[in-house]
Coordinates of all heavy atoms in Angstrom, one line a residue:
K264 N -6.2 7.9 7.6 CA -7.5 7.9 8.2 C -7.5 7.1 9.5 O -8.2 7.4 10.5 CB -8.5 7.3 7.3 CG -9.9 7.4 7.8 CD -10.9 6.9 6.8 CE -12.4 7.0 7.4 NZ -13.3 6.4 6.4
L267 N -2.3 6.4 11.6 CA -1.0 5.7 11.8 C 0.1 6.4 11.0 O -0.1 6.8 9.8 CB -1.1 4.2 11.2 CG -2.0 3.3 12.0 CD1 -2.2 2.0 11.2 CD2 -1.5 3.0 13.4
S268 N 1.3 6.4 11.5 CA 2.5 6.9 10.8 C 3.0 5.7 10.1 O 2.7 4.5 10.4 CB 3.4 7.5 11.8 OG 4.0 6.5 12.6
L269 N 3.9 6.0 9.2 CA 4.6 4.9 8.4 C 5.4 4.1 9.4 O 5.5 2.9 9.3 CB 5.5 5.5 7.4 CG 4.8 5.8 6.0 CD1 5.7 6.5 5.1 CD2 4.3 4.5 5.4
L272 N 3.2 1.8 11.3 CA 2.7 0.7 10.4 C 3.9 -0.3 10.2 O 3.7 -1.5 10.1 CB 2.2 1.3 9.1 CG 1.6 0.3 8.2 CD1 0.4 -0.4 8.7 CD2 1.3 1.0 6.8
A273 N 5.1 0.2 10.1 CA 6.2 -0.7 9.9 C 6.4 -1.6 11.1 O 6.7 -2.7 11.0 CB 7.5 0.1 9.7
I278 N 7.3 -4.7 8.2 CA 7.9 -4.4 6.9 C 8.6 -3.1 7.0 O 8.2 -2.1 7.7 CB 6.7 -4.3 5.9 CG1 5.9 -5.5 5.8 CG2 7.2 -3.8 4.5 CD1 4.5 -5.4 5.1
E290 N 5.7 3.0 -6.3 CA 7.1 2.8 -6.7 C 7.5 1.3 -6.6 O 8.4 0.9 -5.8 CB 8.1 3.7 -6.1 CG 7.8 5.2 -6.4 CD 8.7 6.1 -5.6 OE1 9.2 5.8 -4.5 OE2 8.7 7.3 -6.0
G296 N 10.6 -7.9 -6.5 CA 9.7 -9.1 -6.8 C 8.3 -8.8 -6.5 O 7.8 -8.2 -5.5
S302 N 2.4 -9.4 -1.1 CA 2.4 -9.8 0.3 C 2.5 -8.6 1.2 O 1.7 -8.5 2.1 CB 3.7 -10.6 0.6 OG 3.8 -10.9 1.9
M304 N 1.5 -5.6 0.4 CA 0.3 -4.8 0.2 C -0.9 -5.4 1.0 O -1.7 -4.8 1.6 CB -0.2 -4.8 -1.3 CG 0.5 -3.9 -2.1 SD -0.3 -3.9 -3.7 CE -0.2 -2.2 -4.1
A308 N -2.8 -3.5 3.9 CA -4.2 -3.4 3.8 C -4.9 -3.9 5.1 O -5.8 -3.2 5.6 CB -4.7 -4.1 2.6
E310 N -3.9 -4.1 8.1 CA -3.6 -3.2 9.3 C -4.4 -1.9 9.1 O -4.6 -1.2 10.2 CB -2.1 -2.8 9.4 CG -1.3 -3.9 10.0 CD -1.7 -4.2 11.4 OE1 -2.0 -3.4 12.2 OE2 -1.7 -5.4 11.7
I313 N -8.6 -2.5 5.2 CA -9.0 -2.8 3.8 C -8.9 -4.3 3.5 O -7.9 -4.8 3.9 CB -8.2 -2.0 2.8 CG1 -8.4 -0.5 3.0 CG2 -8.6 -2.3 1.4 CD1 -7.5 0.4 2.2
D324 N -4.4 -4.9 -11.8 CA -4.8 -4.1 -13.0 C -3.9 -3.0 -13.2 O -3.6 -2.7 -14.4 CB -6.2 -3.6 -12.6 CG -7.3 -4.6 -12.5 OD1 -7.1 -5.7 -13.1 OD2 -8.3 -4.3 -11.9
F325 N -3.4 -2.3 -12.2 CA -2.5 -1.1 -12.3 C -1.2 -1.5 -13.0 O -0.7 -0.8 -13.8 CB -2.2 -0.5 -10.9 CG -1.4 0.7 -10.9 CD1 -1.9 1.9 -11.3 CD2 0.0 0.6 -10.6 CE1 -1.2 3.1 -11.2 CE2 0.7 1.7 -10.5 CZ 0.2 3.0 -10.8

Side-chain angles (χ1 to χ4, degrees):
K264 185 176 180 181
L267 294 171
S268 69
L269 279 171
L272 187 61
I278 299 169
E290 296 174 340
S302 176
M304 282 186 143
E310 282 299 320
I313 297 175
D324 292 341
F325 183 78

